[in-house]
Amino acid sequence: MIDTPSYADALRILGCKDGRLVKVIGLASAAERTGWALAGGPRLATNLRDMRDGIIAYGEDVVRRMPELRSGVDRFTRTQRLAAAHAAIVVAAYFEALGEAKLPFTLDQLDHGGSARTISHGVPTQERFARLIASLLLERLPTPEPHVPFSETRTAVERAYQRMSEAVAGYVGGLAVWDELPVDDQLLLPRLLAEGPPAHALRIYDEDYRSLALDSHEFGVRSLVTERPPSATALSRVAWLLAELAPPRVGDRPMIHQVRMAANALDQPLLLAGKHPEDVSLPLLGEGYLSPRCRVAELRRESEPAQRSWWERQRLLPDAEAFLAGHLTSLRATRAPLLVLGEPGSGKTKLTEVLAARLARSEFLPIRVELRQVRARASLTEQVEQAVAAVLGEEVSYADLVAAGDGAMPVILLDGFDELVQGDTGRYDYLERVHEFQAREAGLGRPVAVIVTSRTVVADRVRFPDGLLALQLQPFDDDQVRQWLDIWDQANRALLARRDLKPLPAEAALVHGDMARHPLLLLLLALYDAGGNALQHDHGPLGRSRLYEVLLRDYTERETGGARRVAIDQELVLLGSVALSMLARGSQVITDEELDRDVPALCHGGEEDPGEEQERVDWARKATERFFFVRRKGHAFLHSTFGEFLVAWLTMYALRDLDRRRHLLGDEPLALVQAVDDDLLYAVISHSCLAERGPTVGFILELLAEVPSEVRARCVEQLSGLLRRSLHERPRRHFTGFRPVRHTMTRRLAAYSANLTLLIVTASEEPVTVSSLLPGPDHLEQWSSLTHLWKGQLGQEGWSGLVTALSAHRVMDGGREDVVLGAGTEPTGMGDVVVAVATGHAPRHRRLLDLLLRALGEGRALPYRDRAAILQELLRTVAVRSPAMHQALGAMWHEEGADRAELRPLLHALLADPADRMATWEQLVKAGIPETALWEIHQSALMPDEG
């Protein structure tokens, strides 16, 4: 939760001129910090009625002065004042209801019935009054937020009123008037206070809130969030809603004007590529970008934002545009970043482009930063300055930029956070650094809002600061698919009619299921269909890999005037070499110099060096002049999934080449002893683990599904032979010039053997046993050596991706232990989970581990000692210190007939680390283990051994 203002904060923010209110609250606040006597408690006047009158009067004054409070100030000051005004009316409503409540005493009796004498428990009346004021006026109060329906805010206000009534009841119980009440009234008072003032205060609050909403559009925007909006494109309602809050800015300084103009991309094509298809018209961004559907959640420690099933349980935002406008005008925007998650092609980058354009003429200053274009290890300030320098053509400090904005609140849009997580930088704490940046800037009087986009898949690899709000972009629904295709129809009907073609109808698109509901894939479907209305003639569902391949082939064929298949394959190999070079470098941007070095080394083996009389090929231009690239300080694919598909396609091309060469040898006498020529395959898969990018493995699976079973079987056999020889020296290879990164030979052999294993498992139609891959009595030792090599050499991303892609579990076959690889089998023992966790720590493994721990704590199938031994092994080998571990120990501690001596070593190990001893202690106590037992175990560990 973020810090929300208390009533005392509200008086400070709004500049309250009621000296009595300020003085009483100041003394109460000091008494809470230093104690009653040091705070000057004896000078504190105990007059609840006067306090009530002053608070009610000030609440009415705030509502009346709202137009004045909103005008003539910057965005953040207005946000603060609105939150403060809300706090003022919350408290004023309660005090008004308290004064009108039917209680067995009046406020006057409370004020005059205690005097200054010492009362129960030796607490003077003044000190008790100070505590009451602290409870009523110093506690943080609920505030409306755009991701929370007003009904929930109202419930939170009601709970605050309940706490206030409890504080009043406690205060009355220590006064002389309490002793004068009949016993029946004493018994009834808590109920009267709990039911009367809160309900009445809530009705008063509703009226005051409506008054605030009428005068302050920000509150009106928050109420819109729960309503279904009219259809819109390009976040146009965001601009309209923000214009309602403040007039558009004009007359910016030249520097700021340039920054705003750079953010305004609405008149650019929906896809900004180097060369557009000539026979279609791409809608403009301002016309073709549909406002997204989103789910929203505040992330906590137990959240699982990388899991689709977890998001399905979160709140669906009916109006994402009202949310964005409301968020940017809320306190939360400047106190924690907003994280926008989505699948590849869901429109994360386009969201930042459109939002920046909509903010460009508002009271905000949008600064869009493509994280792939700035130094990954730089601080956030440096990254912003690099992005601004690219726009202005000169270096400008962030502080100077904000000062030039003249009160416009910066909104930093950080696009592509997953690139920092998936690269070698390991910026897992990046969001925490953003949070610290916001806190630092707020302390300097320069509040800033930050929005970060990322692929959903990496959300389990980062640390989240407190109060982080996350959005997940949802696929199109059927109405949005129809709406977008109507836009496509308007842009292309006339152009397609010249070729006797028609735009893609919604019915033909929706046949393809989820593909039609992802913005990028829907556009690709429309582009492919524009070539010859193929989707309208064949209504069978199209896989993603098939769509990418036919789109690439169709476009290349049209651009080259109907080239033969071999020539089109050459084009795809060319594109694949670019994608492979990017993957090997861990980057999605590549320069001309890098392309001129890498592409010919792979496409021509690096051995064809043209003579002086032969014209030298411009490989960078030849490879990147197509529609599929954009220019960004180098070359990048139009979308990262193009690169991931092309790496998968090139891998399959090399695999088919391997099979073709082996098939050509046939039954020749030397075929049995001649080494298989795997040079191309080695060049393609020996630089990085293919599983570093999850979609690449998915594309390989889809491409393999189209390969005949007999061919797949031959490939599995050949790949298995290569795996057994993969770590042995080869005298000479081709394509040695293709070295995007100078890795050690150990790293390359690790990547090659890991990828061979991955290809064997994906190509096989049955689960694969390790004994079949590595025959011999020591197959498990060989497997262990391989996995240790992979873990030590592939890096965090490669190893994590491999563990996620390769399911593995142990089996016993005829008394012989083996490991089965492949997702088509079901694990048969709890020990398999331990193996998975010890080698991966993936989210699904953590959930399985929790199930294992629960089974150990509650189950009776295994002897008590065996269960304790398994827990100890988990603690030793995997360092498990989770709530599930604590609960399992608590359950076993209280088990009937428990041998608690078996648990003492585990409890001692858990309490051994002083860094987290207190937190562990609390968790174990919550799980039911007595503190006396924990203390005894801890103390016994400190005693020296006798004898």
Side-chain angles (χ1 to χ4, degrees), residues 830-847:
M830 282 294 189
D832 307 321
V833 182
V834 181
V835 173
V837 176
T839 55
H841 296 285
R844 60 192 179 92
H845 298 147
R846 286 199 294 271
R847 289 198 301 278

Side-chain angles (χ1 to χ4, degrees), residues 265-342:
L266 296 180
D267 293 333
Q268 296 176 351
L270 193 58
L271 290 181
L272 195 60
K275 185 177 181 182
H276 291 144
E278 297 177 355
D279 46 7
V280 296
S281 174
L282 290 175
L284 301 179
L285 186 62
E287 301 169 347
Y289 177 82
L290 297 189
S291 300
R293 297 165 62 244
C294 303
R295 291 189 183 273
V296 63
E298 186 172 345
L299 300 185
R300 297 178 174 83
R301 179 174 297 182
E302 65 273 14
S303 300
E304 299 178 319
Q307 304 300 315
R308 178 181 297 182
S309 58
W310 183 84
W311 276 108
E312 290 172 352
R313 301 192 298 271
Q314 307 309 312
R315 177 179 293 124
L316 181 65
L317 279 178
D319 191 345
E321 296 191 65
F323 166 81
L324 289 170
H327 174 76
L328 292 172
T329 57
S330 70
L331 288 174
R332 186 184 291 269
T334 61
R335 297 183 179 175
L338 173 66
L339 179 62
V340 178
L341 299 172

Side-chain angles (χ1 to χ4, degrees), residues 720-731:
S720 299
L722 291 174
L723 176 63
R724 289 189 279 273
R725 299 189 298 272
S726 61
L727 303 185
H728 294 273
E729 181 182 6
R730 282 286 299 270

Side-chain angles (χ1 to χ4, degrees), residues 557-587:
E557 183 177 359
R558 282 190 280 163
E559 287 292 305
T560 55
R564 294 179 297 110
R565 180 181 179 86
V566 173
I568 295 175
D569 278 352
Q570 289 176 342
E571 285 291 317
L572 293 181
V573 170
L574 189 66
L575 293 172
S577 65
V578 178
L580 186 62
S581 185
M582 291 179 180
L583 175 66
R585 288 184 165 83
S587 172

Side-chain angles (χ1 to χ4, degrees), residues 54-248:
I55 288 172
I56 292 173
Y58 189 68
E60 293 172 348
D61 182 59
V62 166
V63 174
R64 185 173 59 253
R65 292 173 50 226
M66 273 314 300
E68 172 191 338
L69 293 172
R70 291 179 62 252
S71 62
V73 293
D74 60 39
R75 170 67 263 164
F76 182 69
T77 301
R78 189 155 70 253
T79 295
Q80 281 187 310
R81 288 184 177 181
L82 289 171
H86 182 266
I89 68 166
V90 168
V91 174
Y94 181 79
F95 272 85
E96 183 176 347
L98 181 65
E100 297 174 358
K102 295 180 180 180
L103 301 173
F105 52 78
T106 65
L107 296 187
D108 284 333
Q109 288 177 286
L110 294 183
D111 292 333
H112 298 99
S115 71
R117 67 180 178 87
T118 300
I119 55 177
S120 60
H121 305 293
V123 180
T125 303
Q126 293 96 328
E127 183 171 353
R128 187 173 291 277
F129 184 73
R131 293 179 181 178
L132 173 66
I133 296 302
S135 298
L136 297 178
L137 306 183
L138 300 185
E139 296 290 331
R140 299 198 176 277
L141 297 166
T143 192
E145 292 201 78
H147 69 288
V148 177
F150 179 68
S151 60
E152 293 187 16
T153 302
R154 192 172 179 274
T155 300
V157 170
E158 186 176 17
R159 286 197 297 267
Y161 289 154
Q162 294 286 351
R163 290 194 299 270
M164 292 179 184
S165 283
E166 291 171 4
V168 172
Y171 173 66
V172 173
L175 298 178
V177 70
W178 172 262
D179 298 327
E180 300 169 2
L181 293 176
V183 174
D184 289 346
D185 286 346
Q186 288 181 347
L187 295 174
L188 191 60
L189 182 62
R191 180 178 174 183
L192 292 175
L193 283 170
E195 295 179 356
H200 187 192
L202 204 58
R203 292 192 293 271
I204 299 171
Y205 165 76
D206 288 340
E207 296 176 6
D208 290 343
Y209 184 85
R210 280 192 290 270
S211 298
L212 278 185
L214 288 174
D215 287 329
S216 306
H217 292 295
E218 285 87 343
F219 289 116
V221 167
R222 284 156 177 69
S223 66
L224 287 175
V225 171
T226 58
E227 301 175 4
R228 179 74 177 181
S231 59
T233 60
L235 304 182
S236 56
R237 292 182 65 249
V238 170
W240 172 75
L241 291 170
L242 292 177
E244 287 286 306
L245 306 181

